[in-house]
Amino acid sequence: MPVARLKPTDLITIGEVARRTGLSVSAIRFYEEQGLVEPLRTGGNQRRFLRSDIRRLSFILIAQRLGLSLAEIASALASLPHGRTPTARDWEAISAAIRARLDAQIADLVRTRDRLDGCIGCGCLSLSHCAIWNPQDALGEEGPGARKLLA
Amino acid sequence: MPVARLKPTDLITIGEVARRTGLSVSAIRFYEEQGLVEPLRTGGNQRRFLRSDIRRLSFILIAQRLGLSLAEIASALASLPHGRTPTARDWEAISAAIRARLDAQIADLVRTRDRLDGCIGCGCLSLSHCAIWNPQDALGEEGPGARKLLA
DNA sequence: TTGCGATCTCAACCTAACTTGAGGTCAAGC
DNA sequence: GCTTGACCTCAAGTTAGGTTGAGATCGCAA
């Protein structure tokens, strides 16, 4: 089977990629530095991207939007064959993990909100018996570990 | 009316405050630097906290937990009479705002999750008609502005 | 009065995700 | 062939929320 040759028109400059993805040029360069994309180079050392890179970058934006860090996205992409942009099947696997994460975040926020509501109602602050001031259970974790609240 | 004198036993060292709040000593110093607490000083320049400072710090922890930045917390506390720790009434006002914020966050996450579910089901990635790849409406904002997704 | 743990200040470092600037090169149109 | 806008690299800066370390001082208790 003949391998399709790269027509010059298939190669996209970084500015064009930026325009099409909404990313800044510097962000794209940064993503390359992080190993998230690997553009080709011209003889003059300028980056040239493939169409699939745009999808790849869009995927990164979405995954980021869903709460993954660049490091996590990188490792998700790294598990795919070199240079491949996720297919539907890949996406299914990745998204299942993301889904679990979203569920947890939502549950956590809802729990917090309920607690807050209770607190507004009870008008405490007199402390020592307020759910939000005195959370026994793990209130999720987004900082450096849970903190004891209240002296 | 006689002003209550500060008995030495009412003054708390930073280490003690750390123990009682679960904060690190360095975090407490950092909070002072940010204007969130204003401990007294001994003749030897060591910090001495009031009991109310512990509540104040606990309030900070809770507000942080609820998603406020230190800057926001600072401005919330700044609107109170100098050095006062929020009372139930203050708390009610502040928490109403926080509540709205939580609601928005939850709604956003739920919307995202639903979208993700649709996407898993539709098995797309062929793009151009996928809700998550093509979000028209504002997908919330936690970065430097919304991005166009998809080329 | 001496020992020593707790504190002090100040500066530097940390992560994440980028941006900004300086100084230099590429490439396409006229 | 020249101009000009787009690109290049590399270093440093940014924000948030702190931590870490050095070197000096406090203050309580024996």
Side-chain angles (χ1 to χ4, degrees):
Chain A
M1 299 148 77
V3 173
R5 292 216 161 271
L6 286 176
K7 280 168 286 186
T9 52
D10 288 333
L11 297 176
I12 311 171
T13 63
I14 196 171
E16 185 59 15
V17 170
R19 235 180 25 70
R20 294 208 214 165
T21 57
L23 285 165
S24 66
V25 167
S26 65
I28 297 169
R29 287 202 268 247
F30 176 73
Y31 290 160
E32 180 189 5
E33 204 179 316
Q34 302 303 302
L36 292 165
V37 274
E38 289 188 81
L40 306 168
R41 296 289 179 139
T42 65
N45 199 34
Q46 296 198 353
R47 292 169 182 81
R48 287 298 180 270
F49 295 81
L50 301 175
R51 268 182 201 301
S52 64
D53 285 325
I54 292 184
R55 281 217 303 266
R56 200 176 168 90
L57 287 169
S58 296
F59 174 79
I60 292 169
L61 282 174
I62 292 165
Q64 233 183 339
R65 163 80 189 101
L66 295 178
L68 281 78
S69 66
L70 288 186
E72 290 170 311
I73 295 169
S75 78
L77 287 175
S79 67
L80 301 178
H82 177 74
R84 197 174 100 205
T85 293
T87 64
R89 190 173 299 279
D90 297 326
W91 172 245
E92 205 158 327
I94 293 172
S95 58
I98 295 177
R99 159 84 205 221
R101 199 192 174 101
L102 282 176
D103 282 343
Q105 272 180 54
I106 291 170
D108 184 38
L109 282 180
V110 167
R111 205 161 45 236
T112 301
R113 183 180 61 186
D114 290 348
R115 228 169 233 161
L116 179 60
D117 283 348
C119 206
I120 293 175
C122 82
C124 54
L125 247 227
S126 36
L127 323 183
S128 75
H129 60 292
C130 176
I132 218 168
W133 287 84
N134 258 333
Q136 286 86 342
D137 52 336
L139 255 180
E141 33 191 63
E142 37 174 351
R147 259 80 178 260
K148 282 176 285 180
L149 291 180
L150 261 301
Chain B
M1 298 145 69
V3 172
R5 291 217 162 269
L6 288 176
K7 279 168 287 187
T9 53
D10 288 331
L11 297 175
I12 311 173
T13 64
I14 196 171
E16 185 60 15
V17 171
R19 235 182 22 72
R20 293 209 213 166
T21 58
L23 285 165
S24 66
V25 167
S26 65
I28 296 169
R29 287 202 269 245
F30 176 72
Y31 290 160
E32 180 190 6
E33 204 179 315
Q34 302 302 302
L36 293 165
V37 276
E38 290 188 79
L40 306 169
R41 297 286 180 143
T42 64
N45 199 33
Q46 297 198 351
R47 292 168 181 83
R48 288 298 181 268
F49 295 82
L50 302 175
R51 267 183 202 302
S52 65
D53 286 326
I54 292 184
R55 283 217 302 266
R56 201 174 166 90
L57 288 169
S58 297
F59 173 79
I60 292 168
L61 282 174
I62 292 165
Q64 232 183 340
R65 162 81 188 103
L66 295 178
L68 281 78
S69 66
L70 288 185
E72 290 170 312
I73 296 169
S75 79
L77 287 175
S79 69
L80 302 178
H82 178 76
R84 195 175 100 205
T85 292
T87 64
R89 189 172 300 278
D90 298 326
W91 172 245
E92 204 158 329
I94 293 172
S95 57
I98 295 176
R99 159 84 205 220
R101 198 195 175 96
L102 282 176
D103 283 343
Q105 272 179 57
I106 291 170
D108 184 39
L109 282 180
V110 167
R111 204 161 45 236
T112 301
R113 183 180 63 187
D114 291 347
R115 227 166 234 165
L116 179 61
D117 283 350
C119 207
I120 292 175
C122 82
C124 56
L125 246 229
S126 37
L127 323 181
S128 75
H129 60 292
C130 176
I132 218 170
W133 287 84
N134 258 333
Q136 285 87 341
D137 52 337
L139 257 180
E141 32 191 65
E142 40 176 349
R147 262 81 177 259
K148 284 175 284 180
L149 292 180
L150 261 298

